[in-house]
């Protein structure tokens, strides 16, 4: 596992995360009542101090009532305002030492404010949904909210028994007592805080395909009345899984689940081992199939191989966009070259002031980043040739499985598979703003 963490705060979200320590495990016990939208929780956070002693540290947590905080069993001094829980231990934590934080909190969860509106815990008409990218995790639990600080999770959620709880990871137990049921999930793979997904609702669960011995179990959780449409729209997901394992390497987690909510969502959202779709993405005509491929591809690119900070988001979205094109190419649709040409025509008509390597916070979810990211990956494919390109992709997913990466690390990795220098290619497509010519197979740098 290779982790390349930035040395300081995230340049796009300096109030989120604390680089002075890292977390290796969260154990969260939640009790949620959908009617009053009431959440109470206990977190045990197992962490390790960095190179300097910790006289204080911070966690991110939204506006909840704090019932108790302990550091290694002792009561610290703490303050909680502006989404930051600042903790000063009774005794400083030695450099490099392991320590444990316990936090009890309660309140009415709601999305946290962001430049894109409310993000995080969302109360639905009958249940709840968590989609946290990029900074919504503190809307429901205390965390070191930086994408490179990846940890394992044990998540226990108690709800009224009429509701199902779906989370990324393996369901360990489901126990009913009186009128409530407790669901316990384990996500053992290193997980970024924003990628801890959760859905609470009245869902019917179906198995997608037959994984067979050693295969990846894939489940859908959907409202019963949407099942006929879902069955058609997601019928080819097992084939996508098979293709992506061929192209990218083994699926990096134990299982994969998709949830479709009763509500409409602007876009689907990935979480680790889990993707969340709105009812509007299920039409019975495979109208959103490219998005099914996109979210599945994120399990390799974005979730298993995560970014060191948000400047590098094109690595997530460009590779997932290109996976859409690969699925189309291999499933009888338009080829990647045709799709690249369409993306190039679109971008040529739009402002050319976006730089993939550092798009700026306000442009990190700009449609141009997705399209240009896909084109940049296509340019790499054209420069390397198919054999080297797919060996490069499989090597990238394998070498950095469970880790966090940067744009410079990707450029260096690509260079190892190239017979000609790739600096000009990356300068033009990733670091420049002007749109280079459409890349074509056999071109050396596509500049």
């Amino acid at each position: 596992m290779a982790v390349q963490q930035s040395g300081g705060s995230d340049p796009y979200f300096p109030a989120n995360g604390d680089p002075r320590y890292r977390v290796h495990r969260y154990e969260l016990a939640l009790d949620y009542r959908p009617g009053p939208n009431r959440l109470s929780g206990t977190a045990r956070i197992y962490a390790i101090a960095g190179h300097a002693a910790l006289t204080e540290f911070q966690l991110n947590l939204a506006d909840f009532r704090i019932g108790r905080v302990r550091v290694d069993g002792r009561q610290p001094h703490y303050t909680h305002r502006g989404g930051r829980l600042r903790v000063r231990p009774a005794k400083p934590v030695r450099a490099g030492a392991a320590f444990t934080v316990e936090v009890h909190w309660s309140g009415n969860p709601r999305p946290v404010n962001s430049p894109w509106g409310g993000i995080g815990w969302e109360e639905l008409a009958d249940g709840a949904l968590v989609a946290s990218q990029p900074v919504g995790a503190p809307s429901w639990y205390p965390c070191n909210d930086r994408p490179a600080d990846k940890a394992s999770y044990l998540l226990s959620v108690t709800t009224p028994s009429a509701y199902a709880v779906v989370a990324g990871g393996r369901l360990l137990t489901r126990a009913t007592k009186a009128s409530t049921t407790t669901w316990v999930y384990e996500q053992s793979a290193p997980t970024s805080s924003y990628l801890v997904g959760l859905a609470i609702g009245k869902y019917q669960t179906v198995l997608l395909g037959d994984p067979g011995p050693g295969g990846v179990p894939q489940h859908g959780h959907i409202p019963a009345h949407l099942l006929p449409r879902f069955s058609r729209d997601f019928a080819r997901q097992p084939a996508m899984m098979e293709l992506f394992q061929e192209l990218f390497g083994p699926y990096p987690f134990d299982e994969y689940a998709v949830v479709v909510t009763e509500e409409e969502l602007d876009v689907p959202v990935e979480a680790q081992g889990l993707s969340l779709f709105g009812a509007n993405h299920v039409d019975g005509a495979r109208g959103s199939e490219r998005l099914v491929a996109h979210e599945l591809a994120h399990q390799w690119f974005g979730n298993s191989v995560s970014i060191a900070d948000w400047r590098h988001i094109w690595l997530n979205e460009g590779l997932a966009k290109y996976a859409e094109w690969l699925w189309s190419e291999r499933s009888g649709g338009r080829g990647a070259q045709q799709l690249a040409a369409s993306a190039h025509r679109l971008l040529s008509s739009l402002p050319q002031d976006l730089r993939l390597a550092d798009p700026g916070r306000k442009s990190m979810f700009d449609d141009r980043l997705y399209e240009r990211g896909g084109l940049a990956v296509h340019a790499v494919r054209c420069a390397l040739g198919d054999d080297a390109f797919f060996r490069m992709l499989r090597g990238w997913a394998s070498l950095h499985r469970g880790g966090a990466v940067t744009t410079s690390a990707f450029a260096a990795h690509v260079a190892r598979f190239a017979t000609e220098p790739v600096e000009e290619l990356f300068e033009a497509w990733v670091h420049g703003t002007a749109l280079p010519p459409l890349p074509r197979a056999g071109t050396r740098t596509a500049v």
Side-chain angles (χ1 to χ4, degrees), residues 53-96:
L54 284 180
T55 57
E56 68 160 11
F57 60 90
Q58 78 168 37
L59 293 159
N60 294 106
L61 180 65
D63 186 22
F64 290 97
R65 184 178 68 82
I66 302 295
R68 169 185 168 120
V69 179
R70 293 289 185 269
V71 178
D72 290 334
R74 302 179 66 181
Q75 183 172 339
H77 176 77
Y78 69 88
T79 60
H80 181 219
R81 54 179 173 268
R84 298 193 201 189
L85 178 60
R86 298 181 183 272
V87 181
R88 190 167 72 238
K91 180 181 179 181
V93 179
R94 298 189 322 276

Side-chain angles (χ1 to χ4, degrees), residues 248-335:
F248 310 148
Y251 179 72
F253 310 116
D254 294 330
E255 302 183 12
Y256 183 57
V258 292
V259 172
V260 178
T261 73
E262 288 275 13
E263 280 75 7
E264 295 190 355
L265 301 180
D266 290 340
V267 292
V269 181
E270 75 273 14
Q272 189 132 314
L274 171 70
S275 294
L276 307 165
F277 293 80
N280 51 310
H281 300 124
V282 179
D283 61 7
R286 294 180 180 158
S288 296
E289 190 171 78
R290 71 171 187 86
L291 299 176
V292 177
H294 186 103
E295 302 311 323
L296 177 58
H298 270 313
Q299 303 304 320
W300 285 265
F301 307 119
N303 297 6
S304 177
V305 182
S306 302
I307 48 176
D309 64 57
W310 289 106
R311 290 173 296 181
H312 310 287
I313 188 172
W314 85 273
L315 289 171
N316 295 0
E317 302 304 344
L319 285 161
K321 168 60 71 173
Y322 201 67
E324 297 178 28
W325 299 357
L326 291 172
W327 168 249
S328 176
E329 183 171 80
R330 293 288 289 267
S331 64
R334 289 193 292 167

Side-chain angles (χ1 to χ4, degrees), residues 20 22 47-54 93-99:
R20 295 173 292 183
R22 61 184 177 88
I48 299 173
H51 297 302
L54 284 180
V93 179
R94 298 189 322 276
F99 65 102

Side-chain angles (χ1 to χ4, degrees), residues 25-28 152-157 164-174 182-188 196-199 205 221 255 257 259 273-274:
R25 184 169 178 82
Y26 292 85
E27 294 181 354
L28 308 177
S152 66
Y153 282 78
L154 183 70
L155 179 61
S156 171
V157 184
V165 175
V166 184
R170 188 162 57 95
L171 178 62
L172 298 183
T173 62
R174 182 179 63 188
T182 300
W183 305 67
V184 180
Y185 284 88
E186 170 81 28
Q187 178 55 270
S188 58
V196 184
L198 183 67
T205 299
H221 307 270
E255 302 183 12
V259 172
L274 171 70

Side-chain angles (χ1 to χ4, degrees), residues 67-399:
R68 169 185 168 120
V69 179
R70 293 289 185 269
V71 178
D72 290 334
R74 302 179 66 181
Q75 183 172 339
H77 176 77
Y78 69 88
T79 60
H80 181 219
R81 54 179 173 268
R84 298 193 201 189
L85 178 60
R86 298 181 183 272
V87 181
R88 190 167 72 238
K91 180 181 179 181
V93 179
R94 298 189 322 276
F99 65 102
T100 303
V101 185
E102 183 180 329
V103 181
H104 297 233
W105 74 100
S106 61
N108 300 106
R110 60 180 181 271
V112 296
N113 294 327
S114 81
W116 309 276
I119 291 176
W121 187 288
E122 187 160 346
E123 181 185 10
L124 304 178
D126 194 18
L129 180 74
V130 173
S132 293
Q133 189 178 18
V135 290
S139 69
W140 64 291
Y141 75 99
C143 56
N144 190 13
D145 193 30
R146 46 192 277 129
D149 193 21
K150 304 175 72 170
S152 66
Y153 282 78
L154 183 70
L155 179 61
S156 171
V157 184
T158 300
T159 60
S161 296
Y163 295 86
V165 175
V166 184
R170 188 162 57 95
L171 178 62
L172 298 183
T173 62
R174 182 179 63 188
T176 298
K177 183 177 180 180
S179 61
T180 64
T181 299
T182 300
W183 305 67
V184 180
Y185 284 88
E186 170 81 28
Q187 178 55 270
S188 58
T191 306
S192 301
S193 51
Y194 81 93
L195 288 170
V196 184
L198 183 67
I200 300 171
K202 295 174 180 176
Y203 299 118
Q204 183 168 331
T205 299
V206 296
L207 179 67
L208 286 163
D210 179 4
V216 180
Q218 300 174 63
H219 289 93
H221 307 270
I222 60 270
H225 70 93
L226 293 177
L227 182 57
R229 280 184 275 169
F230 174 89
S231 297
R232 175 169 173 78
D233 291 335
F234 284 77
R236 301 208 293 181
Q237 184 181 280
M240 290 178 192
M241 177 70 78
E242 189 174 327
L243 174 64
F244 290 170
Q245 289 195 97
E246 173 195 332
L247 299 182
F248 310 148
Y251 179 72
F253 310 116
D254 294 330
E255 302 183 12
Y256 183 57
V258 292
V259 172
V260 178
T261 73
E262 288 275 13
E263 280 75 7
E264 295 190 355
L265 301 180
D266 290 340
V267 292
V269 181
E270 75 273 14
Q272 189 132 314
L274 171 70
S275 294
L276 307 165
F277 293 80
N280 51 310
H281 300 124
V282 179
D283 61 7
R286 294 180 180 158
S288 296
E289 190 171 78
R290 71 171 187 86
L291 299 176
V292 177
H294 186 103
E295 302 311 323
L296 177 58
H298 270 313
Q299 303 304 320
W300 285 265
F301 307 119
N303 297 6
S304 177
V305 182
S306 302
I307 48 176
D309 64 57
W310 289 106
R311 290 173 296 181
H312 310 287
I313 188 172
W314 85 273
L315 289 171
N316 295 0
E317 302 304 344
L319 285 161
K321 168 60 71 173
Y322 201 67
E324 297 178 28
W325 299 357
L326 291 172
W327 168 249
S328 176
E329 183 171 80
R330 293 288 289 267
S331 64
R334 289 193 292 167
Q337 186 65 41
Q338 294 173 281
L339 292 163
S342 295
H344 196 273
R345 285 193 298 272
L346 173 65
L347 289 172
S348 66
S349 68
L350 299 173
Q352 296 178 28
D353 57 0
L354 182 140
R355 189 160 68 99
L356 283 183
D358 190 359
R361 186 171 78 167
K362 73 175 184 178
S363 297
M364 59 187 281
F365 296 118
D366 192 305
D367 286 346
R368 293 174 298 163
L369 181 135
Y370 292 65
E371 300 294 339
R372 184 168 178 140
L375 277 168
V377 176
H378 190 63
V380 169
R381 180 184 181 183
C382 290
L384 296 185
D386 277 10
D387 180 67
F389 173 73
F390 288 110
R391 284 191 289 111
M392 181 277 295
L393 277 187
R394 288 190 293 271
W396 179 249
S398 174
L399 178 64

